[in-house]
Amino acid sequence: MKTPISNETQQDALAAAKAIQKPGQTKEQTRLIAQGIEKGITEYKKQQKAKSRERDKARKLQLKAKSRPAKDQSDDLDNNETSGTQTQFTTATWIVITLLLLSWACFGVYLAKV
């Protein structure tokens, strides 16, 4: 089942096709380019709707998790602690730590000279 393309999308695609039209390009070529742009716009809208649905599902799961009783949440915390998971520093974290230590070292050198 093919969904109809809205007039707004068709107008946007035609405007974009006319904006990039080359000299000597026929109306048929411009129309074909506009159809390709329409397909791209439609595909983009589908992707955004899918992402929106996924975000909505995630938000609903978070709301359910927050509304669970505190006992269930404490059980989850106990399970996480016993599973032995470790947090790992990312490259950005190491860069920040290095810059912080470097700034303190420079400050110590400055105080030693004064």
Side-chain angles (χ1 to χ4, degrees):
M1 183 170 83
K2 212 173 193 180
T3 57
I5 298 174
S6 70
N7 288 335
E8 181 183 345
T9 302
Q10 290 175 345
Q11 290 172 355
D12 289 344
L14 186 59
K18 285 184 178 181
I20 60 172
Q21 188 174 11
K22 303 276 186 198
Q25 184 173 316
T26 65
K27 287 183 180 181
E28 179 64 22
Q29 291 171 330
T30 304
R31 186 183 64 79
L32 291 172
I33 292 171
Q35 285 178 345
I37 294 172
E38 284 176 23
K39 288 181 183 179
I41 291 172
T42 304
E43 186 64 30
Y44 175 78
K45 286 181 179 180
K46 286 180 187 177
Q47 289 173 354
Q48 293 305 310
K49 283 182 183 179
K51 287 180 183 178
S52 176
R53 284 193 299 273
E54 290 298 319
R55 283 191 303 263
D56 192 42
K57 286 180 185 178
R59 184 183 56 83
K60 285 180 182 178
L61 286 175
Q62 286 178 347
L63 289 174
K64 281 185 181 180
K66 286 182 181 179
S67 65
R68 286 189 347 199
K71 183 180 181 236
D72 290 343
Q73 290 177 355
S74 66
D75 290 344
D76 289 344
L77 290 176
D78 292 340
N79 289 339
N80 286 342
E81 290 173 0
T82 59
S83 67
T85 59
Q86 293 180 339
T87 57
Q88 295 180 354
F89 291 126
T90 61
T91 304
T93 306
W94 283 113
I95 291 172
V96 170
I97 291 171
T98 304
L99 289 174
L100 180 65
L101 292 173
L102 184 63
S103 67
W104 278 101
C106 291
F107 183 67
V109 169
Y110 172 76
L111 288 178
K113 288 185 178 180
V114 175

